[in-house]
Amino acid sequence: MAALRMTISCVILLQVLSCLLSSFAPTNVQGLKVGFYDKACPKAELIVKKFVFEAMKKDPTLGAPLLRLFFHDCFVRGCEGSVLLELKNKKDEKNAMPNLSLRGFEIIDNAKAALEKECPGIVSCSDVLAIVARDAMVALNGPSWEVETGRRDGLVTNMYEALSNLPSPLSNISSLITRFHSKGLDKKDLVVLSGGHTLGKGHCPQIRNRLYNFTGKGDSDPNLDTKYAAKLRNKCKPTDNTMALEMDPGSFKTFDVSYFKRVSQRRGLFQSDAALLDNQETKSYLLKQMNSDGSTFFKDFGVSMVKMGRIGVLTGKVGQVRKKCRMVN
């Protein structure tokens, strides 16, 4: 009888420990899971994919902006759709300087409108952002990953929070590591997600000081390849605020490992790209990804995107599911 009581006690103890351990799993704590809408809106991801693929077929350059939308959302208040909100006074995240070049909002709006017809009030705008980011990469023959869903939408947007939370292209390595760490992301996530710069374009104001006044003495950044710097100066005059520059020249529409090659050659466009060579861990990863054979970049990118997608999420009864992504209900 004593042995039986001990056995029952052990079973109960194991069950309690199991519950405690499972409660620390990120997806359980946050209420996110793959297939969250399987019953409530089974066609949700197919609907989003349709709009993304149609848009990308017309304009493949949308891949980078759609990826940036999710990144810029998650780093400010968490992945809760605040980057999509608009305020009458224009002091929303959309109008913060780092977000002025964001585009692709109409794709989010169109997908959300279709979802509202299919299953009203079920799929959040923040989840649409997460699915869109993945599908945009798949449309470019880039990496794919299973998107965790179950987020709810926030009610607040603030221009100044975007300014203070988004990593700057002027950042050094210590600043980048600190900023990513504050979001629960490590050094590997930093260099992996920086690899997203294999797509898209930057603009002259983001590199002006690298070219013309790096230390305040009219010089250029010594960490920038001199030939590449000369090419950039030909395109970016000191007062140019509009010229767009490919972040991965010759390959800016293709998700590949060529970004890492360029950074290793001191041809990363931003100071934040060059900074990846200033830390042994980020540099080591970068150098290992330079050749497609044996590269783990595609797989790692999906892992880091899932991890980023857990930042500050709202689940359960917190927040709301917006009917229209640009405004609260």
Side-chain angles (χ1 to χ4, degrees):
M1 192 70 177
L4 178 60
R5 283 198 297 270
M6 183 175 290
T7 301
I8 293 172
S9 298
C10 288
V11 170
I12 293 172
L13 178 61
L14 286 171
Q15 288 176 336
V16 170
L17 286 172
S18 177
C19 290
L20 286 171
L21 288 171
S22 67
S23 71
F24 287 104
T27 52
N28 288 338
V29 169
Q30 298 171 330
L32 299 183
K33 68 175 183 177
V34 174
F36 182 85
Y37 298 112
D38 283 353
K39 292 182 179 179
C41 191
K43 295 181 181 179
E45 293 197 27
L46 288 175
I47 290 171
V48 175
K49 181 179 179 180
K50 172 179 177 289
F51 283 95
V52 173
F53 273 55
E54 286 178 354
M56 293 286 290
K57 188 175 182 180
K58 295 176 183 176
D59 182 7
T61 67
L62 277 169
L66 293 176
L67 180 63
R68 285 182 70 217
L69 272 178
F70 188 50
F71 181 90
H72 282 225
D73 182 46
C74 290
F75 263 68
V76 184
R77 304 189 72 85
C79 310
E80 39 71 80
S82 57
V83 74
L84 303 173
L85 285 171
E86 296 178 0
L87 300 176
K88 290 181 180 179
N89 64 9
K90 303 294 184 184
K91 292 187 177 181
D92 45 54
E93 289 176 35
K94 277 187 179 181
N95 283 291
M97 185 62 71
N99 289 337
L100 293 178
S101 61
L102 291 179
R103 60 192 181 98
F105 293 103
E106 69 284 352
I107 298 168
I108 308 299
D109 292 337
N110 293 339
K112 176 61 175 174
L115 289 167
E116 283 299 301
K117 288 183 180 179
E118 176 72 19
C119 39
I122 299 297
V123 183
S124 67
C125 297
S126 46
D127 276 343
V128 173
L129 279 173
I131 298 167
V132 164
R134 188 269 313 276
D135 289 347
M137 298 304 96
V138 174
L140 292 173
N141 297 315
S144 181
W145 57 92
E146 289 191 311
V147 176
E148 295 176 345
T149 46
R151 299 169 189 80
R152 286 169 65 87
D153 300 321
L155 309 177
V156 177
T157 182
N158 185 301
M159 172 191 291
Y160 305 106
E161 289 183 352
L163 289 170
S164 61
N165 280 277
L166 289 169
S168 166
L170 308 178
S171 297
N172 60 30
I173 191 63
S174 59
S175 175
L176 289 168
I177 290 171
T178 299
R179 182 61 52 85
F180 273 67
H181 180 73
S182 73
K183 306 299 179 183
L185 302 173
D186 58 25
K187 294 175 188 176
K188 183 177 180 180
D189 297 314
L190 165 60
V191 66
V192 169
L193 293 173
S194 295
H197 287 175
T198 186
L199 299 171
K201 298 180 179 182
H203 293 84
C204 290
Q206 296 169 312
I207 63 165
R208 184 177 292 132
N209 80 311
R210 289 196 86 191
L211 301 179
Y212 295 107
N213 198 29
F214 190 68
T215 65
K217 298 178 180 179
D219 55 349
S220 60
D221 183 353
N223 290 321
L224 187 61
D225 176 75
T226 53
K227 291 183 178 179
Y228 184 47
K231 287 183 179 180
L232 290 174
R233 279 192 290 270
N234 284 334
K235 293 182 178 180
C236 283
K237 302 307 176 185
T239 57
D240 192 329
N241 292 320
T242 57
M243 175 64 71
L245 305 160
E246 297 175 10
M247 289 192 281
D248 189 1
S251 181
F252 78 104
K253 296 180 185 178
T254 307
F255 197 103
D256 54 29
V257 299
S258 59
Y259 163 81
F260 297 113
K261 294 179 183 178
R262 294 192 175 279
V263 174
S264 72
Q265 296 165 348
R266 299 191 300 126
R267 294 192 169 203
L269 185 63
F270 302 135
Q271 283 173 243
S272 59
D273 296 319
L276 298 176
L277 296 173
D278 294 335
N279 174 271
Q280 189 55 48
E281 190 174 333
T282 55
K283 180 180 180 180
S284 176
Y285 179 88
L286 185 149
L287 295 177
K288 288 178 182 177
Q289 306 307 314
M290 287 170 48
N291 297 311
S292 298
D293 294 339
S295 171
T296 60
F297 176 47
F298 276 43
K299 178 183 176 182
D300 295 339
F301 192 81
V303 172
S304 289
M305 286 293 289
V306 170
K307 192 173 175 182
M308 185 180 75
R310 297 170 179 168
I311 299 173
V313 295
L314 307 178
T315 57
K317 296 183 179 180
V318 183
Q320 62 181 211
V321 175
R322 287 189 225 133
K323 295 176 182 178
K324 293 184 178 180
C325 294
R326 296 177 188 245
M327 62 187 75
V328 298
N329 295 342

